[in-house]
């Protein structure tokens, strides 16, 4: 593919578990060009050396200041404190953003949405980029038409910083909305254990029966297709924050209340 037709991409968190899987897939995709990579602890190192691929000449940098290109899609899988400033910096350059980082406060999310609206950039801020999580949410929405009692159990690796997970918060919000109850009345249980990657069960109970909708991620490549689809489409989302993966994967099937 002609270089001019490629979408330029900068990945923040490329040395991490998820950003690493995403970064490698971007590097391998013919229509995308990985032209920058951010890491705090590994800044100054060569990404090619880190990945054992001497054909990659990208130098890891600690911030966007060292990346002097007119436009890119910023993909962020880091942590919420540093991410917010970085996202504002990208938006102010009129870059589009694809954000997997979770744990933002409600205020941070509002500020981000306002800045996206003001500048008209495209923004996909999605708590879970895996196909299975999105389908599980749709199934749970359907089940909540028939069951009233429900609890969410999520489990992640011991190093996960936020609790409950962003995915569980979105699920509780959806269930609250579907059951016409405040989201905080949906119990969410969080496990943080070695041996886990990312798991979630939505368990409905009724007289003499239970229904479980369960999704397990065993490998971070589960997120890659969703992220790459978002990178390819984010520019057309200009001026609003999309938080429903369905708006990317299957706009016709996604729910209107998730289109903000
Ligand atoms: N939306 C989704 O589908 C999805 C899926 C999985 C994970 N996540 C979220 O993605 C985030 C990362 O998760 P993970 O498990 O991949 O974490 P991780 O393995 O700990 O990786 C964190 C990454 O962030 C980088 N980083 C940390 N602080 C930074 C800073 N100030 N500036 C630049 N880079 C910085 C780290 O780089 P150095 O250590 O090299 O400095 C590392 O590359 C979490 O918020 C997690 O909840 C979302």
């Amino acid at each position: 593919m002609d270089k001019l037709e490629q979408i330029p991409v900068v990945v923040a968190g490329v040395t991490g578990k998820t950003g690493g899987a995403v970064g490698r897939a971007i590097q391998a995709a013919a229509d995308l060009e990985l032209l920058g990579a951010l890491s705090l602890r590994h800044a100054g190192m060569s990404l090619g050396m880190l990945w054992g691929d001497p054909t990659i000449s990208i130098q890891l940098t600690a911030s966007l200041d060292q990346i002097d290109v007119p436009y890119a899609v910023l993909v962020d899988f880091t942590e919420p404190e540093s991410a917010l400033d970085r996202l504002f910096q990208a938006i102010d350059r009129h870059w589009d953003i694809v954000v997997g980082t979770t744990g933002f406060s409600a205020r941070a999310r509002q500020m981000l949405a306002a800045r996206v609206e003001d500048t008209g950039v495209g923004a996909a801020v999605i708590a879970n980029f895996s196909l299975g999580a999105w389908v599980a949410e749709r199934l749970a929405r359907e089940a909540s038409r028939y069951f009233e009692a429900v609890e969410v159990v999520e489990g992640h690796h011991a190093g996960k910083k936020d609790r409950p997970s962003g995915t569980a918060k979105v699920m509780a919000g959806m269930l609250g909305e579907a059951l016409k109850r405040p989201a905080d009345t949906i119990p969410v249980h969080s496990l943080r254990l070695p041996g886990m990657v990312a798991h979630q069960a939505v368990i409905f109970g009724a007289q003499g029966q239970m229904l479980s909708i369960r999704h397990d991620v065993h490998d971070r490549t589960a997120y890659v297709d969703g992220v790459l689809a978002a990178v390819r489409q984010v520019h057309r989302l200009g001026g609003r924050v999309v938080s429903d993966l369905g708006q990317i994967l299957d706009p016709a099937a996604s729910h209107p209340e998730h289109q903000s």
Side-chain angles (χ1 to χ4, degrees), residues 13 15-18 39-42 78 82 100 102 126-127 129 160:
T15 54
K17 294 180 283 295
T18 318
S39 144
L40 194 60
R41 287 182 304 132
H42 298 86
T78 60
S82 68
T102 59
I126 295 178
F129 278 96
K160 183 166 176 64

Side-chain angles (χ1 to χ4, degrees), residues 73-86:
V73 175
L74 175 65
V75 173
D76 198 292
F77 279 89
T78 60
E79 48 77 47
E81 282 78 32
S82 68
L84 197 60
D85 282 347
R86 186 164 43 249

